[in-house]
Amino acid sequence: MAQLRLEIVTPDKLVLSQDVDYVGAPGLLGEFGVMANHIPFLSALGIGSLMYKVGGKANYVFVAGGFAEVSGNKVTILAEVAERPEDIDIERARRAQDRAKQRMDREKDKVDFARAQSAMQRAFYRMRVRENAH
Ligand code: ATP
C-alpha cells in the first residue's frame, strides 16, 4: 500500500501528484531515497532521473534544478524543469548532446565548459528517462 505522496511542480505546471512507495531523487550532493516515515528533510536538486516506485514498478521523471522537501509523508519536488518520459523529445535531446559534445571539445580551458557539461548532463538524463531508466 502506497503511503507517501509525491508532488512534482515546476514554475508553470503540476507534473505529477501521486501516492507512491518510494522516491529516489538526484540531490545536488548525491542521490537520496525516501520511504514513508522519513524525517523532515530539504535538499537542492541536481540534474538527473527521479525514480518513484508504485507497487514494485519503477517510473522515471527527468528533473533539473530546484528543491526537494520531505515533510509528513509528503515529498514535494519544486523543480526548475521536470519532464515525464512521454514529454521528452529524444531527437531534440540527441541534438543537444551533440552540440554539447562539440562545445566541450572546443572549450576545454574556457569558462563555458561547465555550461556545456550541464547541457550534456541534461541531454544524457533526458534520454535515460525517455528509455525508462535511472
Ligand atoms: P535544448 O538545447 O534542446 O533547448 P536544454 O537542455 O538547453 O535543451 P532546458 O534549458 O533544460 O533545455 O529547457 C528549456 C525548455 O525546453 C524547458 O521547458 C524544457 O522542458 C524544454 N526541453 C528541452 N529539451 C527538451 C526535450 N528533449 N524534450 C522536451 N522538452 C525539452
Side-chain angles (χ1 to χ4, degrees):
M1 241 268 280
Q3 296 155 308
L4 194 61
R5 186 79 180 169
L6 171 63
E7 284 206 348
I8 305 178
V9 291
T10 66
D12 48 73
K13 68 173 174 179
L14 175 66
V15 176
L16 188 92
S17 179
Q18 197 173 331
D19 288 336
V20 303
D21 301 309
Y22 175 83
V23 179
L28 205 53
L29 301 176
E31 173 90 15
F32 61 86
V34 181
M35 293 173 80
N37 303 320
H38 197 286
I39 53 163
F41 172 76
L42 186 68
S43 172
L45 288 172
I47 296 168
S49 166
L50 178 145
M51 189 262 270
Y52 63 94
K53 269 193 176 168
V54 183
K57 182 181 181 293
N59 305 269
Y60 303 93
V61 175
F62 169 77
V63 293
F67 290 91
E69 185 191 28
V70 181
S71 176
N73 281 337
K74 186 171 175 191
V75 181
T76 308
I77 305 289
L78 298 168
E80 285 169 30
V81 177
E83 294 151 14
R84 300 172 68 142
E86 61 270 29
D87 299 325
I88 294 173
D89 176 343
I90 196 142
E91 285 308 321
R92 179 173 167 178
R94 283 204 186 105
R95 289 194 300 273
Q97 187 182 44
D98 289 345
R99 280 196 309 277
K101 258 189 202 148
Q102 286 170 12
R103 249 181 270 136
M104 284 168 78
D105 288 341
R106 264 198 327 260
E107 316 264 335
K108 270 199 181 74
D109 309 312
K110 300 186 191 154
V111 272
D112 264 7
F113 185 83
R115 191 173 153 192
Q117 206 170 27
S118 300
M120 181 86 160
Q121 280 181 335
R122 291 195 297 276
F124 174 82
Y125 283 108
R126 278 188 171 110
M127 291 191 281
R128 301 281 293 178
V129 166
R130 186 71 181 84
E131 283 152 14
N132 277 308
H134 207 27

